[in-house]
Amino acid sequence: MSPPDSAYAVRGGPDTLWARGGPLLTTLDVELTERCDNRCVHCCINLPRQDRRARARELTTARLLAVLEEAAGLGALAVRFTGGEPLLRPDFAEIYVHARELGMRVVLFTNARGITEATASLLADIPPREPVEVTVYGMRRESYEAVTRAPGSYAQFRRGVDLLRAHAVPLVVKGTLLPETLAELDEFERWAAAISADGGQAGYVHYLDLRHRRDSPAADRRIATLRLTPEASLGVLAREGHLAAKLRADWLPQVAAPTDLLFTCGIGHRPCLDAYGVLQPCLSLRHPGATYDLAAGSLRDALGTVFPRLRSLRATGPDYLRRCARCFLAGVCEQCPAKSWAEHGTLDTPVDYLCEVTQAKARVIGWLAPGELPWEVVDWKERIA
Amino acid sequence: MSEALTGDGVYAPSDGVVAREIEGEVVIVPLKAGIGDLEDELYSLNETGRAVWRLLDGGRTLDGVVETLAAEYDAPRDEVERDVRGLLEELLRRGIARAVV
């Protein structure tokens, strides 16, 4: 690489370019569809590929292009296309090229089943400038299709990955930790190291979300049974070694004084457009009181006026106030209003599973004694020092 | 590279990049494969760079760009020429600009 700066120009990422505070929007997530050609046992959002009602409600090509233009006008230099399976949209190529012609980098989340010769050629000729992110559900047909419940999906996924590689399209692969895949982690990581653009570091989805739209109690019950226990999750993390030191290093910058503020994540800076034109303050949060119908307004209004109001919301749920609002581990816990909504239908109810995971990690570091509850710890500043 | 630049040469942005003005900054994003070494980063022009970029319209000669800027900024011609050639060399090397004639 050449030196990064010259007398005339500087280089930087979309979040570091700005000398004067930056634009209102840097990255937009777009859920192109909730439909998917897989029927994954653990999925928090997918609808059947042939769901006509969902398809009829999806944004038109013209509307999607217009939203991308509005996002670009506000300063966005990156977009992430996700789903469902974004490649199910027949107009994917048009949407993708439009985003690139607006100067946006594109992150594409896909299961790779729909990667064709034409798609791979397009991604090679007009590169997304970010690695394509392929989610992997198993290293063998039996394990893969036990998760996807879609016959033939494994062969299509492998073909899609092969096409991306044949066209030298950078990609990274992500695994999901499920009972079917735990036995294949070593194999998966060796493969990821051989093909990934980021040096081979395999990423995982560790903690499964319940259905984001709260649309299937039966699916929620199934997903809950598939979640790794806190101990099993720690076992996966420990495979890399130095678990306590790594957790501590990751967590230290994030630990903050307990608060009853609901959103401590800077909510709304990275919004997500759902498949039907509703803007969410983030990828996961679909609580109707926290979203914004773009048909009735604008991205600017949502980002400049509506979403900032969320940042001052305070919890009122008694259990949350007793636990999370007094917990020194709240800043590192996976608990958030989106998870609370999916799990309980409120923004401020503790998610016990995530709480147990966080406590288990804190015990590994030595910040919690066995049986101790983090919201009862008074001397937390001394413990983390 | 400087030998390749001529005063009567005409230069323009490459077809393989997109330039956008955001918050007063010109940000250049590679669109097609094979544009210079801009694999990982965006490219943002400073004030001098922006002034030159604005005039790389595929119609003016390099000398014309220099004279326009020297008049606009009331600056010594040789100083402006050095800046314009410096930026243009860099843009050509990275594939961000191209010679039209």
Side-chain angles (χ1 to χ4, degrees):
Chain A
M1 300 289 282
S2 301
D5 297 337
S6 76
Y8 316 101
V10 294
R11 301 169 66 180
D15 298 324
T16 58
L17 276 173
W18 317 108
R20 292 182 292 278
L24 197 57
L25 179 65
T26 56
T27 301
L28 179 66
D29 288 339
V30 178
E31 220 169 46
L32 289 177
T33 177
E34 288 184 20
R35 295 174 297 115
C36 188
D37 42 2
N38 286 337
R39 299 170 51 240
C40 292
V41 290
H42 64 284
C43 188
C44 61
I45 191 63
N46 64 331
L47 294 175
R49 172 184 189 147
Q50 307 296 347
D51 190 322
R52 290 183 184 172
R53 188 166 167 269
R55 188 168 184 173
R57 291 178 58 219
E58 287 170 6
L59 291 176
T60 63
T61 311
R63 182 62 184 137
L64 274 165
L65 302 190
V67 174
L68 289 173
E69 285 163 16
E70 188 184 357
L74 293 178
L77 282 165
V79 61
R80 176 166 62 179
F81 291 131
T82 180
E85 171 50 50
L87 295 180
L88 285 188
R89 283 202 58 129
D91 54 0
F92 172 79
E94 184 177 357
I95 296 164
Y96 170 78
V97 170
H98 195 70
R100 290 293 292 117
E101 287 178 342
L102 287 168
M104 292 174 168
R105 294 164 170 236
V106 174
V107 175
L108 171 61
F109 280 9
T110 178
N111 60 31
R113 287 182 60 189
I115 298 284
T116 61
E117 180 69 36
T119 313
S121 292
L122 174 65
L123 295 170
D125 294 341
I126 304 179
R129 300 287 168 184
E130 295 286 348
V132 173
E133 299 198 18
V134 177
T135 308
V136 180
Y137 303 106
M139 294 302 295
R140 292 180 174 73
R141 184 181 63 80
E142 294 75 14
S143 53
Y144 188 96
E145 294 183 3
V147 175
T148 64
R149 299 183 295 177
S153 56
Y154 177 74
Q156 290 176 339
F157 139 71
R158 292 303 295 239
R159 179 175 181 274
V161 169
D162 288 346
L163 280 169
L164 290 173
R165 296 182 67 197
H167 286 267
V169 176
L171 70 143
V172 294
V173 291
K174 302 175 295 187
T176 300
L177 297 176
L178 291 164
E180 289 82 357
T181 60
L182 282 180
E184 299 177 342
L185 294 187
D186 289 338
E187 184 181 0
F188 170 65
E189 289 172 10
R190 282 195 299 274
W191 181 68
I195 69 165
S196 290
D198 63 354
Q201 187 69 36
Y204 292 109
V205 175
H206 273 256
Y207 311 113
L208 302 180
D209 288 351
L210 300 190
R211 298 285 295 180
H212 284 181
R213 292 207 183 277
R214 300 181 53 74
D215 56 0
S216 174
D220 281 348
R221 285 192 294 275
R222 182 178 65 241
I223 293 168
T225 67
L226 297 170
R227 285 172 160 171
L228 293 192
T229 64
E231 294 72 25
S233 171
L234 284 172
V236 173
L237 293 170
R239 295 165 68 251
E240 295 177 14
H242 312 290
L243 176 59
K246 283 184 180 173
L247 283 174
R248 184 184 168 85
D250 286 347
W251 277 14
L252 262 179
Q254 302 176 62
V255 173
T259 175
D260 64 349
L261 281 172
L262 264 183
F263 294 97
T264 54
C265 55
I267 187 78
H269 289 301
R270 183 162 179 169
C272 175
L273 180 69
D274 82 1
Y276 318 111
V278 172
L279 193 71
Q280 303 167 185
C282 71
L283 188 62
S284 303
L285 183 54
R286 298 172 199 268
H287 185 293
T291 57
Y292 180 89
D293 187 352
L294 268 190
S298 66
L299 272 177
R300 180 180 291 282
D301 191 32
L303 299 174
T305 307
V306 178
F307 289 167
R309 290 187 200 129
L310 297 173
R311 294 172 199 146
S312 58
L313 287 182
R314 294 185 182 276
T316 57
D319 211 20
Y320 189 100
L321 292 173
R322 181 177 65 82
R323 292 164 51 180
C324 307
R326 297 169 56 207
C327 181
F328 78 103
L329 298 175
V332 296
C333 185
E334 297 277 332
Q335 158 88 31
C336 73
K339 304 289 171 68
S340 175
W341 165 252
E343 203 99 0
H344 299 296
T346 75
L347 292 176
D348 58 354
T349 305
V351 177
D352 287 337
Y353 171 64
L354 299 174
C355 182
E356 289 162 12
V357 167
T358 303
Q359 290 186 51
K361 289 180 178 176
R363 291 192 183 96
V364 169
I365 303 176
W367 288 357
L368 274 185
E372 196 173 31
L373 297 170
W375 49 89
E376 294 176 352
V377 172
V378 178
D379 64 339
W380 60 271
K381 287 183 182 172
E382 288 75 29
R383 294 191 189 195
I384 68 171
Chain B
M1 289 293 291
S2 59
E3 300 82 51
L5 292 180
T6 58
D8 58 355
V10 177
Y11 303 91
S14 161
D15 293 336
V17 300
V18 176
R20 287 175 49 195
E21 186 158 347
I22 304 169
E23 300 284 295
E25 302 207 30
V26 172
V27 178
I28 298 169
V29 187
L31 177 62
K32 294 180 180 170
I35 300 297
D37 60 355
L38 290 172
E39 294 300 325
D40 304 318
E41 304 293 344
L42 306 169
Y43 203 72
S44 171
L45 300 177
N46 68 5
E47 187 180 351
T48 306
R50 288 196 294 274
V52 177
W53 180 263
R54 188 164 44 83
L55 298 175
L56 294 180
D57 55 6
R60 294 168 214 260
T61 63
L62 189 152
D63 284 343
V65 171
V66 170
E67 280 152 21
T68 300
L69 289 174
E72 196 172 310
Y73 287 89
D74 193 20
R77 191 186 189 288
D78 59 340
E79 199 174 292
V80 172
E81 182 168 3
R82 191 173 60 241
D83 280 347
V84 171
R85 283 179 176 265
L87 175 62
L88 199 47
E89 283 172 2
E90 187 170 342
L91 296 177
L92 289 168
R93 179 167 54 80
R94 293 176 187 276
I96 294 171
R98 63 188 169 90
V100 176
V101 290

